[in-house]
Amino acid sequence: MADPTIDQVKQMRAAVLGAAAKVPGALIGLGILFIVLGMIGVAGQTLFSFVSINVLGAFLILGGVLQGAHAMQSHGWKSVGIQIILSVLYIAAGFYTWAFPIPALEVITLWLAAIFFVTGFLRLVSAFQHRVFAEWFWLVLSSAISILMGVLIMNSFPSSSLWLPGLLIAIELLLQGWSLLFLGFAARSLTK
């Protein structure tokens, strides 16, 4: 099989990048913005945790208001009452996160620890189901790391709730920023 030509490679990259190839500058700019926000988040994890819990509260309130407005306009729908109750719960949860950000961060941290424990356990089960493959060790290692992360979070709980959510969001912003930046550079190379 012959190697693809330069034009064929460009066509494949254009097909993969799709609409992103048309706006590489926007991807690069968004990537840089996410990287800067991620670096700020890593530098000020506690502040980032409080900012993110306040943003979460705002989204809960907005979602509750919109759900309530939709329920009020849905006359004759059987579950209007349930939708109004859910709307009130969303709004109450949003105000709770604003009024009591530290307990809200503690709940999120416990939730994160639970996710690490559950995913680690499920990966361990999956690893033993696939132990006929030589690579099953990597699943065991991955599950051990997830369970260890859960243990580390719980070991430093509740103090970890002040910095952990902000750190994880900051890391996600950094990873997303770098991927958008490189995607933008790849898209820009198509236009040359």
Side-chain angles (χ1 to χ4, degrees), residues 93-124:
F95 280 118
Y96 179 84
T97 60
W98 280 353
F100 305 103
I102 292 175
L105 285 169
E106 289 174 351
V107 168
I108 288 173
T109 304
L110 287 174
W111 181 72
L112 289 169
I115 287 174
F116 280 118
F117 282 127
V118 170
T119 57
F121 176 74
L122 292 176
R123 275 194 212 113
L124 189 61

Side-chain angles (χ1 to χ4, degrees), residues 36-59:
V36 168
L37 287 173
M39 289 169 43
I40 291 169
V42 169
Q45 301 154 2
T46 303
L47 175 64
F48 220 60
S49 290
F50 281 102
V51 167
S52 57
I53 200 69
N54 282 315
V55 169
L56 175 64
F59 282 137

Side-chain angles (χ1 to χ4, degrees), residues 82-97:
I82 293 171
Q83 295 303 317
I84 290 173
I85 290 170
L86 289 173
S87 169
V88 169
L89 288 174
Y90 270 92
I91 293 169
F95 280 118
Y96 179 84
T97 60

Side-chain angles (χ1 to χ4, degrees), residues 8-95:
Q8 289 172 327
V9 170
K10 283 186 177 182
Q11 288 175 349
M12 285 187 280
R13 289 178 79 186
V16 169
L17 291 173
K22 296 176 183 165
V23 286
L27 290 173
I28 292 170
L30 196 56
I32 291 170
L33 175 66
F34 279 16
I35 290 169
V36 168
L37 287 173
M39 289 169 43
I40 291 169
V42 169
Q45 301 154 2
T46 303
L47 175 64
F48 220 60
S49 290
F50 281 102
V51 167
S52 57
I53 200 69
N54 282 315
V55 169
L56 175 64
F59 282 137
L60 286 170
I61 292 168
L62 179 64
V65 168
L66 292 175
Q67 187 168 7
H70 171 52
M72 295 295 186
Q73 295 176 353
S74 301
H75 301 292
W77 190 32
K78 289 183 180 180
S79 57
V80 169
I82 293 171
Q83 295 303 317
I84 290 173
I85 290 170
L86 289 173
S87 169
V88 169
L89 288 174
Y90 270 92
I91 293 169
F95 280 118

Side-chain angles (χ1 to χ4, degrees), residues 121-142:
F121 176 74
L122 292 176
R123 275 194 212 113
L124 189 61
V125 169
S126 179
F128 282 105
Q129 289 175 342
H130 294 92
R131 64 179 179 260
V132 294
F133 299 106
E135 296 81 12
W136 77 285
F137 167 77
W138 295 108
L139 278 172
V140 172
L141 182 63
S142 172

